[in-house]
Short mmCIF file of all heavy atoms in Angstrom, two decimals:
data_model
loop_
_atom_site.label_atom_id
_atom_site.label_comp_id
_atom_site.label_asym_id
_atom_site.label_seq_id
_atom_site.Cartn_x
_atom_site.Cartn_y
_atom_site.Cartn_z
N ALA A 11 89.73 107.37 121.42
CA ALA A 11 89.83 108.40 122.49
C ALA A 11 89.19 107.93 123.77
O ALA A 11 89.53 108.37 124.88
CB ALA A 11 89.19 109.71 121.99
N SER A 12 88.22 107.01 123.69
CA SER A 12 87.55 106.51 124.87
C SER A 12 88.37 105.49 125.66
O SER A 12 88.03 105.10 126.76
CB SER A 12 86.24 105.85 124.44
OG SER A 12 86.47 104.74 123.55
N GLY A 13 89.48 105.02 125.05
CA GLY A 13 90.33 104.03 125.71
C GLY A 13 90.05 102.63 125.19
O GLY A 13 90.86 101.69 125.45
N ALA A 14 88.94 102.39 124.52
CA ALA A 14 88.68 101.05 123.98
C ALA A 14 89.40 100.84 122.67
O ALA A 14 89.61 101.79 121.90
CB ALA A 14 87.15 100.87 123.74
N GLY A 15 89.80 99.60 122.42
CA GLY A 15 90.49 99.35 121.16
C GLY A 15 91.11 97.97 121.12
O GLY A 15 90.48 97.00 121.58
N LEU A 16 92.29 97.87 120.53
CA LEU A 16 92.97 96.61 120.32
C LEU A 16 93.85 96.27 121.53
O LEU A 16 94.92 96.90 121.73
CB LEU A 16 93.82 96.68 119.07
CG LEU A 16 93.09 97.08 117.77
CD1 LEU A 16 94.07 97.21 116.63
CD2 LEU A 16 91.99 96.07 117.44
N ALA A 17 93.39 95.33 122.35
CA ALA A 17 94.20 94.93 123.50
C ALA A 17 95.49 94.26 123.05
O ALA A 17 96.56 94.51 123.53
CB ALA A 17 93.37 94.02 124.39
N THR A 18 95.37 93.33 122.04
CA THR A 18 96.50 92.70 121.45
C THR A 18 96.33 92.73 119.94
O THR A 18 95.24 92.71 119.45
CB THR A 18 96.63 91.22 121.90
OG1 THR A 18 95.45 90.52 121.56
CG2 THR A 18 96.86 91.17 123.42
N ALA A 19 97.44 92.76 119.25
CA ALA A 19 97.34 92.79 117.78
C ALA A 19 96.82 91.49 117.26
O ALA A 19 97.43 90.42 117.51
CB ALA A 19 98.75 93.07 117.19
N PRO A 20 95.69 91.47 116.58
CA PRO A 20 95.13 90.19 116.11
C PRO A 20 95.91 89.64 114.91
O PRO A 20 96.60 90.40 114.25
CB PRO A 20 93.74 90.60 115.67
CG PRO A 20 93.85 92.03 115.29
CD PRO A 20 94.86 92.63 116.25
N ARG A 21 95.82 88.35 114.73
CA ARG A 21 96.46 87.74 113.60
C ARG A 21 95.73 88.11 112.32
O ARG A 21 94.51 87.88 112.20
CB ARG A 21 96.51 86.23 113.76
CG ARG A 21 97.35 85.75 114.96
CD ARG A 21 98.84 86.10 114.74
NE ARG A 21 99.63 85.54 115.78
CZ ARG A 21 100.64 84.65 115.57
NH1 ARG A 21 100.90 84.26 114.35
NH2 ARG A 21 101.34 84.23 116.59
N GLY A 22 96.42 88.66 111.38
CA GLY A 22 95.78 89.09 110.12
C GLY A 22 96.07 88.12 109.01
O GLY A 22 96.18 86.92 109.23
N ASP A 23 96.16 88.61 107.83
CA ASP A 23 96.39 87.81 106.64
C ASP A 23 97.80 87.93 106.14
O ASP A 23 98.47 88.94 106.32
CB ASP A 23 95.36 88.15 105.53
CG ASP A 23 95.57 89.63 105.09
OD1 ASP A 23 95.26 90.53 105.90
OD2 ASP A 23 96.01 89.82 103.94
N VAL A 24 98.27 86.88 105.47
CA VAL A 24 99.62 86.81 104.89
C VAL A 24 99.42 86.49 103.39
O VAL A 24 98.86 85.49 103.06
CB VAL A 24 100.52 85.78 105.56
CG1 VAL A 24 101.86 85.73 104.87
CG2 VAL A 24 100.64 86.06 107.02
N ASP A 25 99.90 87.36 102.54
CA ASP A 25 99.85 87.14 101.08
C ASP A 25 101.26 87.05 100.56
O ASP A 25 102.07 87.97 100.75
CB ASP A 25 99.07 88.27 100.40
CG ASP A 25 97.61 88.30 100.85
OD1 ASP A 25 96.93 87.29 100.70
OD2 ASP A 25 97.16 89.34 101.36
N LEU A 26 101.56 86.00 99.82
CA LEU A 26 102.90 85.69 99.39
C LEU A 26 102.95 85.62 97.86
O LEU A 26 101.98 85.34 97.19
CB LEU A 26 103.39 84.36 99.97
CG LEU A 26 103.33 84.21 101.51
CD1 LEU A 26 103.66 82.77 101.89
CD2 LEU A 26 104.26 85.20 102.15
N PHE A 27 104.14 85.92 97.33
CA PHE A 27 104.45 85.73 95.94
C PHE A 27 105.47 84.61 95.80
O PHE A 27 106.49 84.61 96.52
CB PHE A 27 105.00 87.01 95.28
CG PHE A 27 104.03 88.14 95.21
CD1 PHE A 27 104.11 89.20 96.11
CD2 PHE A 27 103.03 88.19 94.24
CE1 PHE A 27 103.23 90.25 96.05
CE2 PHE A 27 102.13 89.18 94.20
CZ PHE A 27 102.24 90.27 95.05
N ASP A 28 105.26 83.67 94.89
CA ASP A 28 106.23 82.66 94.63
C ASP A 28 107.52 83.33 94.15
O ASP A 28 107.49 84.32 93.39
CB ASP A 28 105.71 81.72 93.55
CG ASP A 28 106.61 80.55 93.32
OD1 ASP A 28 106.57 79.59 94.12
OD2 ASP A 28 107.39 80.59 92.33
N GLU A 29 108.65 82.78 94.59
CA GLU A 29 109.96 83.42 94.25
C GLU A 29 110.24 83.42 92.80
O GLU A 29 111.03 84.26 92.29
CB GLU A 29 111.12 82.69 95.00
CG GLU A 29 111.22 81.23 94.67
CD GLU A 29 112.37 80.56 95.45
OE1 GLU A 29 113.04 81.29 96.21
OE2 GLU A 29 112.58 79.35 95.28
N ASP A 30 109.57 82.55 92.00
CA ASP A 30 109.80 82.49 90.57
C ASP A 30 108.61 83.07 89.83
O ASP A 30 108.44 82.82 88.59
CB ASP A 30 110.04 81.06 90.11
CG ASP A 30 111.31 80.45 90.68
OD1 ASP A 30 112.29 81.21 90.82
OD2 ASP A 30 111.29 79.27 91.05
N LEU A 31 107.74 83.87 90.48
CA LEU A 31 106.56 84.40 89.88
C LEU A 31 106.91 85.32 88.72
O LEU A 31 107.80 86.19 88.85
CB LEU A 31 105.73 85.15 90.92
CG LEU A 31 104.35 85.65 90.41
CD1 LEU A 31 103.41 84.50 90.24
CD2 LEU A 31 103.79 86.69 91.40
N GLY A 32 106.22 85.13 87.60
CA GLY A 32 106.42 86.00 86.46
C GLY A 32 105.12 86.59 85.99
O GLY A 32 104.04 86.19 86.40
N MET A 33 105.20 87.56 85.10
CA MET A 33 104.00 88.19 84.55
C MET A 33 103.30 87.18 83.60
O MET A 33 103.91 86.24 83.12
CB MET A 33 104.35 89.48 83.81
CG MET A 33 104.98 90.55 84.72
SD MET A 33 103.89 91.00 86.08
CE MET A 33 102.58 91.84 85.18
N ALA A 34 102.02 87.51 83.30
CA ALA A 34 101.24 86.63 82.40
C ALA A 34 101.86 86.70 80.98
O ALA A 34 102.17 87.77 80.47
CB ALA A 34 99.80 87.08 82.38
N ARG A 35 101.99 85.55 80.35
CA ARG A 35 102.52 85.45 78.98
C ARG A 35 101.63 84.52 78.16
O ARG A 35 101.22 83.44 78.68
CB ARG A 35 103.93 84.95 78.99
CG ARG A 35 104.94 85.93 79.63
CD ARG A 35 106.35 85.39 79.55
NE ARG A 35 106.46 84.10 80.26
CZ ARG A 35 107.19 83.07 79.81
NH1 ARG A 35 107.80 83.13 78.64
NH2 ARG A 35 107.25 81.94 80.48
N THR A 36 101.38 84.89 76.95
CA THR A 36 100.46 84.11 76.05
C THR A 36 101.12 83.84 74.74
O THR A 36 101.72 84.75 74.14
CB THR A 36 99.14 84.88 75.87
OG1 THR A 36 98.54 85.13 77.12
CG2 THR A 36 98.18 84.09 75.04
N LEU A 37 101.00 82.58 74.24
CA LEU A 37 101.45 82.26 72.92
C LEU A 37 100.21 81.94 72.07
O LEU A 37 99.37 81.08 72.48
CB LEU A 37 102.36 81.01 72.98
CG LEU A 37 102.86 80.48 71.62
CD1 LEU A 37 103.76 81.50 70.94
CD2 LEU A 37 103.61 79.18 71.83
N ARG A 38 100.07 82.65 70.95
CA ARG A 38 98.83 82.52 70.17
C ARG A 38 99.19 82.37 68.73
O ARG A 38 100.07 83.14 68.23
CB ARG A 38 97.91 83.67 70.45
CG ARG A 38 96.55 83.64 69.66
CD ARG A 38 95.69 84.78 70.15
NE ARG A 38 95.19 84.50 71.49
CZ ARG A 38 95.17 85.38 72.47
NH1 ARG A 38 95.67 86.58 72.27
NH2 ARG A 38 94.69 85.06 73.65
N GLY A 39 98.54 81.48 68.02
CA GLY A 39 98.74 81.31 66.59
C GLY A 39 97.42 81.17 65.88
O GLY A 39 96.48 80.62 66.44
N SER A 40 97.33 81.66 64.64
CA SER A 40 96.06 81.58 63.88
C SER A 40 96.35 81.22 62.44
O SER A 40 97.40 81.50 61.90
CB SER A 40 95.31 82.93 63.96
OG SER A 40 96.05 83.93 63.29
N LEU A 41 95.34 80.55 61.84
CA LEU A 41 95.40 80.19 60.45
C LEU A 41 94.06 80.52 59.83
O LEU A 41 93.02 80.02 60.31
CB LEU A 41 95.70 78.70 60.28
CG LEU A 41 95.73 78.16 58.85
CD1 LEU A 41 96.86 78.80 58.06
CD2 LEU A 41 95.85 76.63 58.84
N ALA A 42 94.05 81.37 58.82
CA ALA A 42 92.82 81.88 58.25
C ALA A 42 92.77 81.56 56.75
O ALA A 42 93.81 81.55 56.08
CB ALA A 42 92.63 83.39 58.51
N TYR A 43 91.56 81.37 56.22
CA TYR A 43 91.35 81.13 54.81
C TYR A 43 90.14 81.91 54.32
O TYR A 43 89.08 81.91 55.00
CB TYR A 43 91.12 79.63 54.56
CG TYR A 43 90.86 79.29 53.11
CD1 TYR A 43 91.83 79.27 52.15
CD2 TYR A 43 89.56 78.94 52.74
CE1 TYR A 43 91.59 78.97 50.84
CE2 TYR A 43 89.29 78.59 51.42
CZ TYR A 43 90.29 78.64 50.48
OH TYR A 43 90.02 78.28 49.15
N GLU A 44 90.24 82.57 53.22
CA GLU A 44 89.17 83.36 52.64
C GLU A 44 88.96 82.99 51.18
O GLU A 44 89.93 82.83 50.44
CB GLU A 44 89.44 84.86 52.78
CG GLU A 44 88.34 85.74 52.21
CD GLU A 44 88.60 87.20 52.45
OE1 GLU A 44 88.87 87.61 53.57
OE2 GLU A 44 88.61 87.97 51.45
N ARG A 45 87.71 82.85 50.78
CA ARG A 45 87.43 82.49 49.40
C ARG A 45 86.15 83.21 48.92
O ARG A 45 85.16 83.27 49.66
CB ARG A 45 87.22 80.98 49.26
CG ARG A 45 86.98 80.50 47.82
CD ARG A 45 86.85 79.00 47.78
NE ARG A 45 86.60 78.50 46.43
CZ ARG A 45 87.54 78.23 45.55
NH1 ARG A 45 88.81 78.40 45.87
NH2 ARG A 45 87.23 77.81 44.34
N ARG A 46 86.20 83.71 47.68
CA ARG A 46 85.05 84.35 47.10
C ARG A 46 84.25 83.26 46.34
O ARG A 46 84.74 82.69 45.43
CB ARG A 46 85.45 85.48 46.18
CG ARG A 46 84.29 86.29 45.60
CD ARG A 46 84.78 87.50 44.84
NE ARG A 46 85.48 88.43 45.73
CZ ARG A 46 84.85 89.37 46.44
NH1 ARG A 46 83.49 89.48 46.37
NH2 ARG A 46 85.49 90.19 47.19
N LEU A 47 82.96 83.11 46.72
CA LEU A 47 82.10 82.15 46.10
C LEU A 47 81.25 82.83 45.03
O LEU A 47 81.33 84.04 44.81
CB LEU A 47 81.21 81.49 47.14
CG LEU A 47 81.93 80.88 48.36
CD1 LEU A 47 80.90 80.36 49.34
CD2 LEU A 47 82.88 79.78 47.96
N SER A 48 80.41 82.01 44.35
CA SER A 48 79.57 82.58 43.32
C SER A 48 78.53 83.50 43.96
O SER A 48 78.15 83.31 45.12
CB SER A 48 78.86 81.43 42.59
OG SER A 48 78.09 80.63 43.49
N GLY A 49 78.12 84.48 43.18
CA GLY A 49 77.10 85.39 43.68
C GLY A 49 77.70 86.48 44.57
O GLY A 49 76.95 87.23 45.22
N GLY A 50 79.03 86.59 44.58
CA GLY A 50 79.64 87.68 45.35
C GLY A 50 79.71 87.41 46.84
O GLY A 50 79.92 88.30 47.65
#
C-alpha cells in the first residue's frame, strides 16, 4: 500500500521432472531358516 515492492519480477527457482520419471519401486527377497536346539 505504501508503493514499495517489486520493481521487476526477480528470477526464481525452476524445478523439473524427468520425462521418464516413475514412482519408487523396490524388489526384495528373503531366505529364512529356523531350528529348535537342545534345551528348548
